[in-house]
Amino acid sequence: MKAKVFVTLKNGVLDPQGKAAHGSLERAGYSFIKDIRIGKVIEIELDDMDRTEAEDRLAEICEKLLANTVMENYRVEIDG
Amino acid sequence: MKAKVFVTLKNGVLDPQGKAAHGSLERAGYSFIKDIRIGKVIEIELDDMDRTEAEDRLAEICEKLLANTVMENYRVEIDG
């Protein structure tokens, strides 16, 4: 089965990468952009299991390894 | 209005970051993970406009700046 995990910076945490992209777009004349924040999307292929169990197990690995919960939020989405 | 852009590596392009995360998880005993690929999710706040126009403009900045279309795919999703 497949799942996606979205890891994004919490509000208030500075995002230099997003700021750089925003600056480049402004300099290139794309003034309709107000703000950009850049996070990660982690596409995971895992053994087939119960949907709830998959959500629990993925939340566990997010807490332990995939996200830095001091600065980042995460959201698990099971495909299909 | 808000939009999200998902930038992911094309099939066949090596993903050292994903491989490292997968390796760490395996060493930590999480053997139910078969594969991990890591991409970017770009959260964009932009001026209000027609939905189709927003999609076109965002596709343009993806092609020009946000994605490297040689190695990466992108997908634009307008929120709401």
Side-chain angles (χ1 to χ4, degrees), chain B residues 13-49:
Chain B
V13 177
L14 289 179
D15 176 11
Q17 200 188 355
K19 203 166 176 171
H22 192 187
S24 296
L25 286 167
E26 276 182 334
R27 280 189 297 281
Y30 296 103
S31 56
F32 62 97
I33 304 290
K34 288 184 189 162
D35 194 32
I36 292 193
R37 306 271 290 169
I38 300 185
K40 275 178 284 191
V41 51
I42 305 172
E43 298 174 313
I44 300 177
E45 205 180 317
L46 67 163
D47 291 342
D48 286 332
M49 63 184 77

Side-chain angles (χ1 to χ4, degrees), chain A residues 46-61:
Chain A
L46 66 164
D47 291 342
D48 286 332
M49 63 184 79
D50 185 79
R51 206 182 168 86
T52 334
E53 192 187 345
E55 279 165 2
D56 288 351
R57 290 208 197 181
L58 290 173
E60 186 183 332
I61 65 171

Side-chain angles (χ1 to χ4, degrees), chain A residues 7-8 37-41, chain B residues 4-6 39-43:
Chain A
V7 179
T8 50
R37 306 270 290 170
I38 299 185
K40 276 177 283 188
V41 51
Chain B
K4 287 192 190 75
V5 170
F6 301 92
K40 275 178 284 191
V41 51
I42 305 172
E43 298 174 313

Side-chain angles (χ1 to χ4, degrees), chain A residues 14-65:
Chain A
L14 290 179
D15 177 11
Q17 200 189 355
K19 205 165 176 172
H22 192 187
S24 297
L25 287 166
E26 276 183 335
R27 281 189 296 281
Y30 296 103
S31 56
F32 62 96
I33 304 288
K34 288 184 190 165
D35 193 32
I36 291 194
R37 306 270 290 170
I38 299 185
K40 276 177 283 188
V41 51
I42 306 171
E43 298 174 313
I44 300 177
E45 205 181 317
L46 66 164
D47 291 342
D48 286 332
M49 63 184 79
D50 185 79
R51 206 182 168 86
T52 334
E53 192 187 345
E55 279 165 2
D56 288 351
R57 290 208 197 181
L58 290 173
E60 186 183 332
I61 65 171
C62 284
E63 295 280 343
K64 291 226 173 122
L65 191 118

